[in-house]
Amino acid sequence: MLDRPSSSRHSWRMLDRRTFLQAAAAVLGTRRALADAAPTLLQNVGSPQDLATPLSWFDRLLTPTDVFFVRSHFGPPALDATRKLAVEGLVKTQLAFAPDELRSRFPVVTQTAVLQCAGNGRAFQTPRVPGVQWGHGAMGQATFTGVRLRDVLAAAGPSSDAAYVRIAGADAPLKPTAPAFVRSIPLARAMAPSTLIAWAMNGEPLTLAHGAPLRLIVPGWAGDHWIKWLTHVGLQKEEADGFYMQTAYKYPIHPVEPGASVKPEEMRSLTTFPVKSVIARPTDGSKGAAGMQEVAGCAFSGDAPLAKVEVSTDGGATWRAAALEGEAGVGRWQVWKHRFVAGPGRATAVVRATDAKGNTQPEKGAWNPSGYFFNAWHAVAWEVA
Ligand SMILES: Nc1nc2c(c(=O)[nH]1)N[C@H]1C(S)=C(S)[C@@H](COP(=O)(O)O)O[C@H]1N2
Ligand SMILES: [Mo]
């Protein structure tokens, strides 16, 4: 442990730990009779509040909440199901809503979206970069239910000089001197119909780990915009101040040499995540029977609906279009499947996706100082006998 905790700090740290022990127990207790024996436990990738979804779950349209990745900088605050959300700043009327008040006052919408951490795939960057060493598991797709942020902002009446929405949650850093996790999004993105204030995920109330009672949903944009335990949306003229907006979550404006340092003025804030696909099965290094092989996974882009997914089973010499399942949409994943016959020996598959704007996954990921947005072709090899 770091410092000797104060009693109040101590109690929420204990709650945090207990919450995750309960979550782990719930997952362990769920016996899934799956033929492919997919691992059901979240893999801890560094700290108790950072949990990764095993790759083998990415062959279906929705990621079950009990295996959905978790990323929290400081861990959750205490659960308060009636905590109010304040709408403040450059508005005609300051407002505050409990979750029930949002539900009864504004149209309720449900939408399916990919939630992906900007650091997903960081472990594959060479040279290694600091940060949580995520493999492929810092992503998932769920349905989210809530109200449109634009309806809530319209009720408060934005002033004509408002250009950004500052978003903050109830969690706090362990040390009071450390920066709080506060961010902002441009007003235009806040007013987009897909930006939601959600209270449900996969048809159930949000769990504490995923932001109960309210969180922001920003489809197509990296997870750092999806503020959990949402308490404040504030209209203002400028971007939010502070470390998590002005220093973190930035990406070079030009391609950089692996390992290079980049000047702050040559970085810009992350927004949408790029086109990406992964192979959920077969898993790398597995063994299977000769004959018909089915390769499956998911693919998506934060910039446009998906256009196609291609698979190569001859090391990239030829590519075949995979069959797509599910609805196309920006920031929405589709499941892809491809079948081919393999004789005894080593079988391989490589996948690459292309979106409707013509962006295609690169063979190698673009290195950057924080290891964001890794989206290189994914390849697996397995033994066929
Ligand atoms: N209040 C708050 N919101 C937060 C975070 C946080 O630390 N505090 N982490 C963000 C990051 S970096 C990601 S990737 C997503 C992860 O959401 P999940 O834990 O529901 O998967 O939450 C985002 N929202
Ligand atoms: Mo993240």
Side-chain angles (χ1 to χ4, degrees):
M1 286 295 113
L2 305 165
D3 304 345
R4 196 187 154 78
S6 71
S7 61
S8 67
R9 187 60 79 194
H10 185 68
S11 61
W12 82 244
R13 283 184 59 84
M14 291 307 287
L15 177 80
D16 166 2
R17 198 161 161 262
R18 192 166 59 232
T19 305
F20 280 101
L21 290 177
Q22 280 169 355
V27 173
L28 271 172
T30 311
R31 289 193 188 275
R32 291 167 199 280
L34 287 174
D36 60 354
T40 54
L41 270 175
L42 294 163
Q43 298 151 354
N44 189 326
V45 291
S47 48
Q49 62 269 21
D50 297 322
L51 305 165
T53 304
L55 187 56
S56 54
W57 285 97
F58 299 144
D59 66 346
R60 59 209 80 190
L61 288 170
L62 295 176
T63 313
T65 305
D66 61 1
V67 291
F68 203 102
F69 91 98
V70 177
R71 165 60 172 144
S72 304
H73 291 77
F74 323 123
L79 178 60
D80 175 356
T82 59
R83 186 185 289 125
K84 289 204 169 191
L85 167 65
V87 185
E88 57 186 22
L90 299 173
V91 288
K92 289 177 191 84
T93 320
Q94 313 262 341
L95 297 171
F97 296 100
D100 282 350
E101 294 166 337
L102 287 178
R103 198 190 317 247
S104 54
R105 173 129 178 220
F106 302 103
V108 174
V109 289
T110 293
Q111 77 181 54
T112 302
V114 175
L115 166 50
Q116 182 182 218
C117 181
N120 194 26
R122 181 180 287 123
F124 308 119
Q125 298 273 7
T126 328
R128 188 180 188 277
V129 293
V132 181
Q133 296 299 302
W134 298 109
H136 293 290
M139 64 178 194
Q141 176 155 276
T143 65
F144 295 95
T145 303
V147 295
R148 294 193 172 95
L149 178 56
R150 75 169 179 197
D151 292 342
V152 176
L153 295 180
S159 309
S160 57
D161 51 352
Y164 292 90
V165 182
R166 179 182 182 276
I167 36 182
D171 53 335
L174 279 172
K175 293 193 177 180
T177 50
F181 189 71
V182 174
R183 293 190 44 85
S184 59
I185 55 174
L187 183 58
R189 188 64 186 84
M191 298 303 275
S194 65
T195 308
L196 304 187
I197 300 167
W199 56 76
M201 176 176 177
N202 288 334
E204 300 286 338
L206 278 175
T207 59
L208 181 61
H210 293 296
L214 296 173
R215 83 172 303 169
L216 203 67
I217 303 305
V218 193
W221 286 41
D224 47 291
H225 303 92
W226 297 46
I227 302 291
K228 303 193 274 191
W229 314 297
L230 189 66
T231 54
H232 294 83
V233 297
L235 291 177
Q236 53 188 50
K237 290 180 191 165
E238 313 283 344
E239 275 193 335
D241 287 335
F243 175 79
Y244 288 103
M245 193 70 218
Q246 297 304 326
T247 304
Y249 299 113
K250 296 218 176 191
Y251 196 89
I253 54 178
H254 308 295
V256 298
E257 285 300 313
S261 59
V262 183
K263 297 194 195 92
E265 60 271 27
E266 291 179 1
M267 306 274 264
R268 66 172 181 85
S269 290
L270 300 178
T271 57
T272 57
F273 46 75
V275 63
K276 178 168 183 168
S277 61
V278 297
I279 300 170
R281 60 180 162 82
T283 47
D284 198 45
S286 60
K287 289 185 166 52
M292 188 62 79
Q293 309 292 308
E294 185 176 72
V295 193
C298 68
F300 55 89
S301 165
D303 294 315
L306 210 55
K308 62 176 174 184
V309 174
E310 297 165 293
V311 181
S312 174
T313 53
D314 56 11
T318 58
W319 295 84
R320 291 295 192 85
L324 295 179
E325 294 171 11
E327 250 177 73
V330 178
R332 180 166 182 148
W333 89 29
Q334 290 182 271
V335 166
W336 60 265
K337 287 181 180 155
H338 177 68
R339 295 176 134 219
F340 73 105
V341 176
R346 186 173 180 265
T348 63
V350 191
V351 66
R352 69 178 184 206
T354 301
D355 71 22
K357 284 190 176 160
N359 302 301
T360 295
Q361 255 178 287
E363 183 172 358
K364 302 236 180 311
W367 188 92
N368 62 97
S370 297
Y372 294 134
F373 289 165
F374 179 86
N375 70 336
W377 297 354
H378 185 207
V380 298
W382 66 104
E383 216 49 58
V384 169

